[in-house]
Amino acid sequence: MPRPTRLIRRHGRFTLDRDTAIRATPGAEGAARLLRALLRPSTGLPLPLHEDGRVVFALDDRLVGLGDEGYALTVNEHAVVLRAATRHGLAHGVQTIRQLLSPRALGSRPVSGVDWTLPGVDVRDAPRLPWRGVLLDVARHFQPVAVLRRFVDLMAVHKLNVLHLHLTDDQGWRMPVPRHPKLTSVGAWRAESMGDGVPHGGSYTRAELTALVSYADERGVRIVPEIEMPGHARAALAAYPELGNFPRRRLPVWTGWGISDAVFGVHDAVLEFCRDVLDEVVEVFPGPHVHLGGDECPTVEWESSPGAARRVRREGLAGPHELHGWFLRAMADHVVERGRVPVSWEPIGDPRAIVMPWRDAADARTAMDLGHDVVMTPHRSTYLDYPQSADPDEPAGQPGLVVTSHDVYHLPLPAGVLGAQCALWTEYVPTARHLERLAYPRLAALADTLWAQRPSWTDFTERMRAHTGRLSALSVPLPRKEDDARSPVPPC
């Protein structure tokens, strides 16, 4: 899971044992270390590097037709050979090796009395779409970095390759910025959540985020950071009131859900502040994309702000409603100057920005007609904060919709889009266990439909019988009907 492009079963089997060693060509050592780290907790196998190893990992730029993430894997009774053109391709191949073993190989505790045997196969595999992502909202409910690492591990099992971190919002600011320390000392903490009387907060250190980037990269996952602007800014305004439209006003970090009317002002100091923040973001997150947010920005404060009126006149805008696009275009310019690609939730009048249409799938065509690259995120089929069934034991979620695995699998994918991602907003998700319960098996559905060359819901549901056993071995909490359907049948 996801379904390989081509898998041919061959005669023979290869057994990993205490004498098995890995031979890695230059540049492939990281994949060897990854396989060893992933298998050792359950198997206890040392899998050392050795020039005579019968498990061979090789970077091979002569592979044709497999792109940046594809790989070729051959297993017979004599050897295991994994080749790819890039480190990320090798990382995906490592996950396939894991899935070819008994599901118990994916566990975190030692298992005895098991032959760790791989079936003879020839695999050539590459994804259908390059963007296969998940948004994780750590602003509404903070999640420690250990939770993020496990989330990355589970993504990597499914060959999902983009973790979109929603780092700031009205209810909390999680990204440290040295020039503006109150963002985390003040903006990362709220007094309560929806009247529960329980303080909540937390933030990451730069070292934690830098290490997370490396950890994810080793597993074929890149991180897209999101800093919300010019709306969803209440936490930043609590830290620095002078960034608002009414600088003398004092606001706490917001304790409710929804959309606050408090948005950034449009004076020069605000633009300089946002540039400072984005400069820190591109230092910490080396990937090509920076998300600027840009959705759900009320204009009521701009309509009554003298500073906003002056900005409208100065820029020759038609009115306060045009400040939203003007603001985001200014920040997109800064991101581009720093060598990155801006991302936004809606078109901002700059075709250099990637757009993630979330209100309606039909908005994708509008964005593409305006020259934007598009990543599909329609809420009716990708928002995982909605419950995945109407069952009474379903954990609490965003009211109003049910989004099933079937909905995710059949999300709209117009020709020409980069891919798609699901979103896990966390207003109703306080714990890591709750997070994973909402994520799976729906993220397995996303992974399969975006990777497989010819997605088939019927085929996916059949393969989920074995894959549920893997999720169980990984200690992923599943809906009861999924857990009851767990199959002891080996995965291959």
Side-chain angles (χ1 to χ4, degrees), residues 280-339:
E280 180 67 9
V281 166
V282 299
E283 285 289 323
V284 173
F285 297 97
H289 302 101
V290 174
H291 204 301
L292 302 174
D295 64 326
E296 298 175 330
C297 181
T299 61
V300 59
E301 290 195 348
W302 290 339
E303 291 164 2
S304 58
S305 163
R310 288 192 295 271
R311 179 64 74 179
V312 167
R313 291 193 298 270
R314 178 177 168 184
E315 302 298 332
L317 304 176
H321 63 284
E322 289 195 349
L323 286 169
H324 176 261
W326 167 83
F327 192 109
L328 288 169
R329 287 192 294 274
M331 294 303 106
D333 283 342
H334 189 72
V335 168
V336 171
E337 287 172 3
R338 295 297 183 270

Side-chain angles (χ1 to χ4, degrees), residues 45-241:
L45 298 177
L47 300 176
L49 287 172
H50 194 278
E51 60 182 10
D52 294 326
R54 293 200 296 150
V55 176
V56 181
F57 286 178
L59 283 176
D60 186 351
D61 57 11
R62 296 170 298 177
L63 286 173
V64 177
L66 297 181
D68 291 336
E69 294 188 89
Y71 64 92
L73 173 66
T74 299
V75 179
N76 57 38
E77 63 270 28
H78 304 295
V80 176
V81 180
L82 173 64
R83 297 178 298 142
T86 69
R87 294 182 301 106
H88 287 178
L90 290 176
H92 296 325
V94 164
Q95 300 297 340
T96 295
I97 291 172
R98 292 179 80 196
Q99 291 196 31
L100 289 170
L101 292 166
S102 163
R104 285 173 286 184
L106 280 74
S108 59
R109 296 180 180 178
V111 177
S112 59
V114 176
D115 289 331
W116 303 112
T117 299
L118 295 164
V121 291
D122 280 333
V123 179
R124 285 184 64 86
D125 200 9
R128 180 165 64 106
L129 293 169
W131 191 300
R132 308 177 307 283
V134 190
L135 175 147
L136 182 55
D137 169 18
V138 295
R140 272 51 174 266
H141 275 103
F142 176 72
Q143 299 294 341
V145 73
V147 173
L148 301 189
R149 287 189 174 218
R150 174 166 162 84
F151 200 80
V152 166
D153 282 335
L154 294 175
M155 289 178 61
V157 169
H158 297 86
K159 302 182 177 70
L160 294 166
N161 69 340
V162 177
L163 175 58
H164 173 175
L165 276 185
H166 186 79
L167 289 162
T168 71
D169 216 295
D170 293 317
Q171 298 84 3
W173 185 289
R174 313 301 178 201
M175 169 85 190
V177 181
R179 293 187 63 181
H180 305 281
K182 290 183 181 179
L183 287 172
T184 49
S185 66
V186 175
W189 301 91
R190 61 177 183 263
E192 61 180 11
S193 306
M194 294 296 287
D196 65 2
V198 180
H200 179 81
S203 61
Y204 305 107
T205 67
R206 179 171 181 167
E208 285 177 326
L209 292 175
T210 300
L212 179 66
V213 167
S214 297
Y215 186 87
D217 180 66
E218 290 169 357
R219 288 152 177 78
V221 177
R222 65 182 185 272
I223 297 180
V224 174
E226 180 183 2
I227 305 295
E228 273 277 10
M229 59 181 76
H232 287 286
R234 178 79 172 256
L237 299 180
Y240 296 101

Side-chain angles (χ1 to χ4, degrees), residues 279 295 352 391 412 435 471 473:
D279 285 346
D295 64 326
R352 296 173 299 181
D391 292 346
L435 194 77
L471 294 176

